[in-house]
Amino acid sequence: MAYLLGLNGQRQGRDLPLDRDLLHFGRSEANDFILEDPSVSGRHCSIIRHDDHYVVRDLDSSNGTRVNDHEVSESKIEAGDIIEMGSLLFRFMASDVAASEKARQVSAAGDPFSDKKEAPESPADKEPAPSEPIDQEEARELPQPSKLDKAPPRPEADSAPVPSSAALPSGRLPVDLSRRSMHYTAIAVGGLIVLTISIAVYLNLVMS
């Protein structure tokens, strides 16, 4: 709540609470605050409370009303202003005005914290959150890998190994060996025939 703080005279160090929309100051007993000082008029001035500020208004006083050493007929007052009523000095203390003015500025300008920079992330904030366990029903609904997705085995080479002589059954030789054997046998038989004929011719010559 706003109030006036007395700086001299009988009201020095005392608070005059401004708890109504209109308050009168002067020497007359009809005022809300009676100021027993010869420099103050019977109805010296009034202070009016508006929505978000206060106004001091002089009531045609003899010695005038001043705000921060400037004589005024009506003036808006702010926290810390010095108000002079005759020779009496008061400081205007407006805690509620400051609060309402701040609220009005916040409402007009938006969030006052919007311009603040974001705090850098700590290493703990960068750690990934632990994964939540999957429910068994959800696990059954997940697609399972199909056996058909596996890559087929690579086919073996089409060329069959050539069988060796050891792997063949007994009594059978490869084609090339059989042909060579028959060739050599024919040569040997031919040689024997020639030799036999030669011996026979020789014996006939000798016996004749």
Side-chain angles (χ1 to χ4, degrees):
M1 180 180 64
Y3 60 93
L4 296 182
L5 175 63
L7 301 179
N8 63 353
Q10 296 181 350
R11 297 281 184 172
Q12 183 176 3
R14 298 177 61 182
D15 298 341
L16 281 67
L18 306 178
D19 53 358
R20 285 186 288 174
D21 293 338
L22 177 61
L23 294 169
H24 293 93
F25 299 80
R27 285 189 296 111
S28 172
E29 294 183 355
N31 293 290
D32 298 293
F33 291 100
I34 301 173
L35 306 177
E36 297 178 355
D37 189 276
S39 64
V40 177
S41 299
R43 289 179 63 85
H44 194 97
C45 68
S46 63
I47 292 182
I48 305 166
R49 179 173 62 185
H50 293 281
D51 292 336
D52 57 353
H53 65 279
Y54 285 78
V55 172
V56 60
R57 178 183 298 167
D58 184 70
L59 301 177
D60 296 328
S61 62
S62 300
N63 295 319
T65 302
R66 293 175 175 268
V67 176
N68 297 329
D69 205 26
H70 292 85
E71 187 170 354
V72 298
S73 58
E74 183 173 325
S75 174
K76 177 182 177 180
I77 53 177
E78 298 179 353
D81 287 348
I82 302 298
I83 302 173
E84 300 180 41
M85 303 177 190
S87 61
L88 298 181
L89 301 178
F90 299 90
R91 185 184 298 276
F92 178 59
M93 310 297 289
S95 57
D96 60 339
V97 171
S100 61
E101 180 68 11
K102 183 177 180 181
R104 186 185 64 81
Q105 293 176 358
V106 169
S107 177
D111 187 3
F113 301 99
S114 59
D115 296 335
K116 289 189 176 181
K117 296 182 179 180
E118 296 181 357
E121 295 183 359
S122 61
D125 296 336
K126 296 182 179 180
E127 295 181 359
S131 59
E132 298 181 357
I134 301 177
D135 190 23
Q136 293 183 358
E137 294 183 359
E138 295 180 356
R140 286 196 295 268
E141 294 178 358
L142 293 176
Q144 300 296 331
S146 174
K147 295 181 179 180
L148 298 177
D149 295 339
K150 296 182 179 179
R154 297 180 60 184
E156 299 291 338
D158 296 337
S159 58
V162 178
S164 61
S165 58
L168 292 174
S170 59
R172 296 180 61 184
L173 295 176
V175 177
D176 294 340
L177 294 179
S178 299
R179 290 179 179 177
R180 289 182 182 180
S181 177
M182 293 174 63
H183 178 70
Y184 293 143
T185 302
I187 294 174
V189 171
L192 291 176
I193 294 173
V194 172
L195 180 61
T196 302
I197 295 173
S198 299
I199 293 174
V201 171
Y202 177 74
L203 291 176
N204 288 334
L205 290 175
V206 172
M207 292 180 63
S208 60

